Amino acid sequence: ARRAPAPPPGTAARHSGRAAGGRLGWQRGHGWFVSFAWPGGGVPAPPLGRKRARLARRAAELPGVRAAAVASSPPLGETGALSVVAAPGARVSIPRDGANLAELAVTPGYFRAMGIAVLTGRSFRPADFAPRAAPVAMVDAAVARAYWGSAANAVGQVLRTANGSFQNTRIIGVAATTRANYGYFQPNYPTAYVPAPGALAPATFTLVLRTWGAGAPPAAGLRRAFHAAGPGFAPGPAMA
């Protein structure tokens, strides 16, 4: 079947920007999102994590592509939840049954590809994704202000989380607050960004690309990037 042509660059961003009052928090225009799936549901994270990283690297090398990354959810899509059971030094009280933050698992380069500003601290590095790396996260400015009063105060703080097992997760950086999750008709959820999941990974992901110009990334090059990442990835159509 013939695939419909991609919409003009920025179409989704312009539409969502109108609905959200024009305040998305991420850069509009020249952004492309390709959803892809791993057949059969969740798979062990280490091999899949390597394939995701390889896909992002190959996509970033394509002509006309400025930055590329993989995320567990597309912009304006539904995210996972990070359960926070304690936040030492925070100025808010955590309920006994925990508090949920929207959770987005990303690869290095996500903030550059999305055009989301990192306000303070640092973004993720490849070492943060190593199998035995200490748990780290980034939070948005809404979380930083609510928990510690400011973005600067959040860096270095620890969230005790309970997703599968209890662990202390150190905050390494603060990103600008966006309307990048749960759709533009819903209030934005305070968000935490984490490296690739540690046990099982979701079956679908999104490749985020930012191009230098208005043209779409080369389709043939994208197919080669998916093929190089390994068998099993099934890309969908590119959306602007």
Side-chain angles (χ1 to χ4, degrees):
R2 293 183 63 185
R3 202 174 272 171
T11 298
R14 285 196 297 271
H15 178 54
S16 57
R18 287 195 296 268
R23 295 183 299 273
L24 287 171
W26 42 281
Q27 185 179 345
R28 307 183 199 185
H30 303 177
W32 298 83
F33 316 113
V34 183
S35 293
F36 62 98
W38 183 279
V43 297
L48 184 54
R50 289 192 292 270
K51 292 176 185 293
R52 283 196 306 260
R54 189 181 307 132
L55 172 61
R57 288 196 302 270
R58 292 298 184 102
E61 295 169 355
L62 294 176
V65 173
R66 181 178 180 182
V70 171
S72 57
S73 174
L76 303 175
E78 186 172 344
T79 69
L82 181 68
S83 179
V84 177
V85 295
R91 62 181 193 174
V92 296
S93 298
I94 305 298
R96 293 184 63 179
D97 57 350
N100 284 341
L101 303 176
E103 180 187 52
L104 198 61
V106 301
T107 64
Y110 174 78
F111 298 96
R112 184 166 181 248
M114 279 292 294
I116 298 174
V118 176
L119 303 179
T120 189
R122 66 172 178 86
S123 185
F124 295 117
R125 299 169 179 164
D128 296 324
F129 295 77
R132 300 182 187 277
V136 295
M138 296 179 64
V139 297
D140 68 10
V143 175
R145 286 194 299 268
Y147 278 62
W148 298 288
S150 70
N153 290 340
V155 177
Q157 300 286 354
V158 171
L159 292 174
R160 186 158 177 77
T161 59
N163 282 28
S165 61
F166 291 97
Q167 63 180 13
N168 292 327
T169 301
R170 184 170 58 87
I171 306 303
I172 59 171
V174 178
T177 298
T178 73
R179 295 190 63 87
N181 56 43
Y182 282 94
Y184 47 80
F185 291 118
Q186 302 295 329
N188 193 67
Y189 282 70
T191 302
Y193 300 90
V194 298
L200 290 178
T204 59
F205 302 88
T206 297
L207 175 64
V208 180
L209 302 132
R210 183 158 299 278
T211 57
W212 287 105
L222 279 177
R223 286 194 293 270
R224 288 194 297 270
F226 275 98
H227 179 76
F233 283 149
M239 294 296 293

